[in-house]
Every structure is written in structure tokens, then in C-alpha cells.
């Protein structure tokens, strides 16, 4: 308060000194700006009245005003928007983790709807939608020129109904249609499993369930493994995670950090900035972490990846993230509607803004696209790729220097290696992450 008061006094003194020179021009300028604003509002009222009275068909005045508000917010950036009472209710339901729809996170780019990411296990995911796809038509109707909310409205419909989406995808010569059956989307925020000696935590979204799901899933996997000592590390899979609640991103990052800044936000006014710091306690007691990201990792996902990367708490693997570095505040309005307004940018602990740049992985690993036609060829040539070894030779010497237990251990290790090779065919990026942790576990303590 003292600093504020001192600044106010200084401002007053400076104002008194400069009054003779600038007071009148400033007053004239402010008056001119206010007059211009009121003229524009009068113009809006004139246009609204002419549409209401003279348009060729009867119009709904409420819809006209909502469209005007929506257009004003949409002109600011792709993430600011007006939420009708129904849309506001749907958003509140989504943050709780269950809603109706396709299971796809979208944004707008060059007039078309762009897929940020399909959500795991949803109709869009099962239909083969991919991050980076452009949606050009919905049920044959072009979405070019529509506001994002209008395009999303076209994709809504009753659970169980079919929708045909026309998609343009990089690498495909022609647009193609995708049929999706709408369903109730029940999000499992975190799926936990163990691969070899690595716990894989797959985060699909950041909602109210995320941190509790992460903690319970991790606990279960550690109990099944027989304790932390039997685990070589954690893979935090944030691929195609479109983000969600900022509070949940902070909690997830805090789960693996003992101290330090997680993220900061800076708004239009410096005094509105906030910093969020980690609290003592690491769920995995310092075990190595690999974070997987790709072009579908956005917003809250990037906060977590950036925080763990800047603190050198994790190795980030995959491809560059989406680059959504802005914070939206949902403000309730009269009539149960709401306004989603971009109010700040967020920054990683090192002061990086990832807006439009994304988080760059420490190790770039592309996910190869699999050709379905190549599977049969692989089966046909698998026998030809097998090589002969000493064990195949007739009259070979036996290895009698190993006990049965040692031989069994070697065979088990070989089976794990072969399973890892198969995993590379199914999910190359995940296999790479697990291999990194396996390599780190071979080093001695403190290395």
C-alpha cells in the first residue's frame, strides 16, 4: 500500500507540473474518443433496428444480440467466445468429466475447423480422427466462414445419431469422409499401467478428476509392482491432451516437484500477474520421468511439460506441442450465459512464453504412420529376417557354466527385449520413452 501511495503522490506531482502543457489536449482527446464510441453504439442500434423491422423475414432479437456479442468476442482471438446458457451448462459438465458429443477438441485456423486432438476412447478417436486434421464439411455443409461455435453446433446432435465429417489431412491427396456415431463421452482423466518396470500414466484431459485419478492409479501400480524400488521410472503421456483446468495442471506438476515455480500468468495490468509454486512432496521420490508430447498437447499439458522440463525433472520426448500459451477466464453473465475471455498469457518457470511456439522436446521422436497394407508383407517376410545362431548348429557345445536359474533369467530378459521390439511397432514414441528409463536404470546410483 505504501508503494502504491508513493506512486500516486509521484503521479500527482508530475501531473501538476505538466498541467499547462498537456491537460487541454488530453481532455480533448478523451472526449473525442468517448464521442466516437457513442457514435458507434448509435450505429449498432440503428443497424439492429433496421434488421428487426426491414429484414425479409422475422428475426429473433435475442439471437441477433447474442450473434453480435459472439462476433465481438470472436474478433479478439480464437479462444474468446460467448457461451449461451446451454453452452455454459455444457462447459460446466465437461469439467466434471462426462458429456455428450464426438470426443474431439477443436480450434479454428484459416476459416476451417482444426482438430487439436481426439480424446482417447471416444467416437472421434475410434473413427481415426487425428491431431492436425482440418474439418471442411459437416454432413455436406461447408464450415468455411462459420464462427467456431457455429461449426461446433453443427457437430452436436442426439446420442446415437450419425455424423459425416469431411477431412483434409496432411499426406492425403484428396479430402475424405469420416462417419462418427455420437455418444455420451465419459472421460477417464488418467489411465495407469505398467510396461516392463515402467509406470505409464496416460493423461487424456485436465478436469476435476485428473489429480485424484493420477494419485490412485500410480498408487495401485506401485502396490502391484511391490514398491517404488521395483520401478525404474515414470512415463507421463500427454500426447493429444488438449488441456483443461489450470488448477489441475498446477497440481499435476506439483505432484512431481518439491519446490520452485510451476507457472506464472501475466495479464494486461502488471498487478494482475500470478505465480504458482510447488509444495514439498514428490509422489515418485525423485524417480526419473519422461514426458511424451506431440502437436495435440495443448494448454494445461504444455504447462506441465514446460515446468518439469525447466526444472530438469523430466526428459521431454516427442514432437513440438500445440502452442496455446493463453489463459481464458469464464465470467458468468446475466441470464445464465457466460463469457470466455482471454485474460493472460502463461509462462514457464524460466520465463518462456510458449504462445504460438509450443514446448520443444529435448529429444525429437516422430511417430511413424503405419501402412495397414504393410502388415501382411511383414508377416510374409518375418521368417526370412530370422538369422541363424550358434544354438541352431548341429553338434554345438552346451553352455554348462550357468545354473538353471541364470539361464531362466537370461531367457526372461530376452523375452522382455522381444516384447519391447513389438512395442516399437505399436507405439514407437512410448517405446522410446520406456527405453530411455531402462537405460537410466542401468546407471549406478547418483549417475
Amino acid at each position: 500500500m505504501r508503494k502504491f501511495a508513493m506512486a500516486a503522490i509521484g503521479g500527482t506531482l508530475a501531473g501538476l507540473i505538466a498541467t499547462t502543457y498537456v491537460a487541454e489536449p488530453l481532455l480533448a482527446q478523451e472526449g473525442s474518443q468517448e464521442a466516437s464510441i457513442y457514435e458507434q453504439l448509435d450505429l449498432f442500434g440503428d443497424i439492429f433496428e433496421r434488421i428487426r423491422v426491414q429484414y425479409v423475414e422475422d428475426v429473433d432479437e435475442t439471437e441477433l444480440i447474442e450473434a453480435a456479442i459472439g462476433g465481438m468476442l470472436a474478433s479478439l482471438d480464437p479462444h474468446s467466445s460467448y457461451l449461451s446458457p446451454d453452452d455454459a451448462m455444457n462447459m460446466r459438465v465437461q469439467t466434471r468429466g462426462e458429456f455428450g458429443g464426438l470426443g474431439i477438441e477443436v480450434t479454428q485456423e484459416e476459416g476451417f475447423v482444426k482438430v487439436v486432438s481426439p480424446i482417447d476412447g471416444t467416437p472421434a478417436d475410434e473413427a481415426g480422427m487425428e491431431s492436425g486434421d482440418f474439418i471442411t464439411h459437416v454432413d455436406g455443409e461447408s464450415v468455411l466462414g462459420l464462427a467456431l461455435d457455429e461449426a461446433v453446433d453443427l457437430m452436436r446432435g442426439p446420442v446415437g445419431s450419425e455424423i459425416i465429417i469431411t477431412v483434409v489431412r496432411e499426406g492425403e491427396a484428396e479430402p475424405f469422409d469420416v462417419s462418427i456415431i455420437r455418444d455420451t463421452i465419459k472421460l477417464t482423466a488418467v489411465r495407469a499401467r505398467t510396461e516392463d518396470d515402467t509406470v505409464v500414466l496416460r493423461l487424456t484431459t485436465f478436469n476435476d478428476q485428473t489429480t485424484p485419478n493420477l494419485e490412485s492409479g500410480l498408487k495401485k501400480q506401485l502396490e502391484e509392482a511391490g514398491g517404488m524400488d521395483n520401478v525404474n521410472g515414470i512415463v507421463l503421456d500427454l500426447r493429444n491432451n488438449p488441456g483443461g483446468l489450470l488448477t489441475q495442471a498446477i497440481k499435476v506438476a506439483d505432484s512431481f516437484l518439491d519446490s520452485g515455480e510451476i507457472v506464472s500468468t501475466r495479464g494486461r495490468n502488471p498487478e494482475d500477474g500470478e505465480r504458482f509454486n510447488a509444495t514439498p512432496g514428490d509422489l515418485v521420490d525423485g524417480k526419473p520421468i519422461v514426458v511424451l508430447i506431440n502437436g495435440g498437447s495443448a494448454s494445461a499439458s504444455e504447462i506441465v511439460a514446460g515446468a518439469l522440463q525447466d526444472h530438469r525433472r523430466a526428459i521431454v520426448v516427442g514432437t513440438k506441442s500445440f502452442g496455446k500459451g493463453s489463459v481464458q477466464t469464464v465470467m458468468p453473465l446475466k441470464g445464465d450465459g457466460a463469457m470466455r475471455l482471454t485474460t493472460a498469457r502463461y509462462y514457464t518457470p524460466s520465463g518462456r512464453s510458449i504462445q504460438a511456439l509450443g514446448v520443444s522436446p529435448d529429444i525429437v521422436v516422430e511417430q511413424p504412420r503405419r501402412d495397414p497394407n504393410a502388415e501382411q508383407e511383414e508377416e510374409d517376410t518375418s521368417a526370412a529376417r530370422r538369422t541363424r545362431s550358434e544354438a541352431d548348429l548341429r553338434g554345438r557345445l552346451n553352455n554348462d557354466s550357468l545354473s538353471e536359474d541364470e539361464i531362466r533369467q537370461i531367457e526372461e530378459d530376452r523375452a522382455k527385449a522381444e516384447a519391447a521390439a513389438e512395442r516399437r511397432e505399436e507405439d514407437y514414441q512410448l517405446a522410446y520413452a520406456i527405453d530411455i528409463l531402462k537405460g537410466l536404470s542401468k546407471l549406478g546410483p547418483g549417475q
Side-chain angles (χ1 to χ4, degrees):
M1 179 61 85
R2 179 179 295 176
K3 290 182 179 179
F4 179 80
M6 291 293 291
I9 293 168
T12 303
L13 291 173
L16 290 172
I17 293 169
T19 297
T20 306
Y21 301 98
V22 300
E24 290 185 4
L26 280 176
L27 288 173
Q29 183 179 359
E30 290 175 1
S32 175
Q33 288 176 346
E34 287 185 6
S36 176
I37 291 172
Y38 284 115
E39 286 175 4
Q40 294 295 315
L41 289 174
D42 287 342
L43 175 62
F44 172 79
D46 184 31
I47 292 173
F48 172 77
E49 186 62 23
R50 292 192 184 192
I51 292 173
R52 192 177 70 85
V53 175
Q54 297 180 344
Y55 187 65
V56 66
E57 296 176 354
D58 288 338
V59 294
D60 186 319
E61 290 89 345
T62 301
E63 290 183 358
L64 277 180
I65 294 173
E66 286 187 354
I69 296 171
M72 177 171 57
L73 287 165
S75 70
L76 300 174
D77 64 80
H79 308 293
S80 295
S81 63
Y82 170 71
L83 301 174
S84 68
D86 288 343
D87 291 339
M89 176 60 71
N90 288 337
M91 186 207 65
R92 287 190 286 269
V93 170
Q94 286 186 35
T95 62
R96 291 196 296 267
E98 182 174 327
F99 54 95
L102 305 179
I104 190 171
E105 180 80 9
V106 295
T107 186
Q108 198 162 37
E109 187 173 305
E110 298 178 1
F112 291 106
V113 176
K114 184 178 182 180
V115 176
V116 175
S117 67
I119 301 170
D120 284 1
T122 62
D125 180 45
E126 293 170 358
M129 296 295 292
E130 296 183 5
S131 174
D133 284 349
F134 282 92
I135 298 173
T136 62
H137 293 74
V138 175
D139 286 332
E141 184 175 344
S142 174
V143 299
L144 182 62
L146 294 181
L148 183 60
D149 287 343
E150 294 175 316
V152 170
D153 283 341
L154 286 179
M155 289 186 271
R156 292 192 175 123
V159 171
S161 60
E162 182 185 29
I163 180 174
I164 304 296
I165 292 177
T166 304
V167 173
V168 172
R169 178 177 296 168
E170 184 179 355
E172 297 288 341
E174 299 290 337
F176 58 93
D177 291 340
V178 177
S179 172
I180 304 177
I181 304 299
R182 297 179 178 95
D183 199 358
T184 299
I185 309 301
K186 295 182 179 180
L187 293 181
T188 301
V190 181
R191 293 185 174 91
R193 68 184 192 276
T194 300
E195 299 269 355
D196 289 347
D197 299 323
T198 301
V199 175
V200 180
L201 299 172
R202 168 77 180 126
L203 277 66
T204 59
T205 188
F206 286 85
N207 61 24
D208 290 336
Q209 303 174 21
T210 301
T211 303
N213 283 178
L214 182 143
E215 292 175 352
S216 61
L218 176 61
K219 181 180 179 181
K220 180 180 178 182
Q221 296 303 311
L222 292 177
E223 288 175 352
E224 292 178 355
M228 191 72 72
D229 291 339
N230 296 322
V231 169
N232 62 21
I234 307 295
V235 172
L236 203 60
D237 189 351
L238 300 177
R239 292 174 298 176
N240 293 330
N241 184 322
L245 299 177
L246 173 64
T247 52
Q248 288 295 312
I250 293 168
K251 288 181 179 179
V252 169
D254 192 8
S255 298
F256 304 105
L257 293 172
D258 277 319
S259 61
E261 183 181 304
I262 294 173
V263 66
S264 62
T265 63
R266 304 176 199 172
R268 182 173 178 176
N269 300 314
E271 60 269 22
D272 293 335
E274 290 186 276
R275 293 181 183 275
F276 301 91
N277 296 315
T279 55
D282 179 349
L283 286 182
V284 294
D285 298 334
K287 286 284 185 177
I289 300 174
V290 173
V291 176
L292 280 176
I293 61 171
N294 64 4
S297 306
S299 191
S301 297
E302 296 172 293
I303 290 175
V304 174
L308 297 181
Q309 184 182 54
D310 280 3
H311 283 287
R312 301 195 177 191
R313 182 64 186 88
I315 300 170
V316 179
V317 172
T319 55
K320 184 174 73 69
S321 63
F322 186 75
K324 181 182 177 295
S326 59
V327 179
Q328 282 69 48
T329 302
V330 178
M331 305 174 184
L333 301 173
K334 294 179 180 178
D336 295 328
M339 173 174 64
R340 183 193 289 117
L341 187 66
T342 299
T343 54
R345 288 182 171 89
Y346 64 73
Y347 295 79
T348 67
S350 64
R352 291 181 296 160
S353 170
I354 61 171
Q355 174 61 28
L357 295 176
V359 174
S360 297
D362 299 306
I363 303 174
V364 176
V365 179
E366 298 278 353
Q367 183 82 314
R369 291 179 181 265
R370 286 190 57 78
D371 182 1
N373 299 323
E375 293 182 5
Q376 186 60 44
E377 294 180 12
E378 289 179 4
E379 292 178 4
D380 294 340
T381 59
S382 60
R385 288 202 301 264
R386 294 194 190 99
T387 57
R388 288 170 59 81
S389 68
E390 175 74 13
D392 297 318
L393 298 179
R394 184 178 300 166
R396 68 187 182 279
L397 295 175
N398 291 324
N399 188 333
D400 55 6
S401 64
L402 300 174
S403 67
E404 290 184 3
D405 288 341
E406 288 172 327
I407 293 174
R408 187 181 303 110
Q409 184 62 51
I410 290 173
E411 291 174 347
E412 289 177 358
D413 292 342
R414 183 180 296 125
K416 287 183 179 179
E418 291 173 352
E422 292 178 2
R423 190 186 301 115
R424 293 187 195 101
E425 296 294 330
E426 298 169 2
D427 189 339
Y428 184 78
Q429 290 174 323
L430 176 60
Y432 198 102
I434 292 174
D435 285 345
I436 289 175
L437 294 174
K438 188 182 297 182
L440 290 174
S441 70
K442 300 297 182 183
L443 299 174
Q447 295 296 312

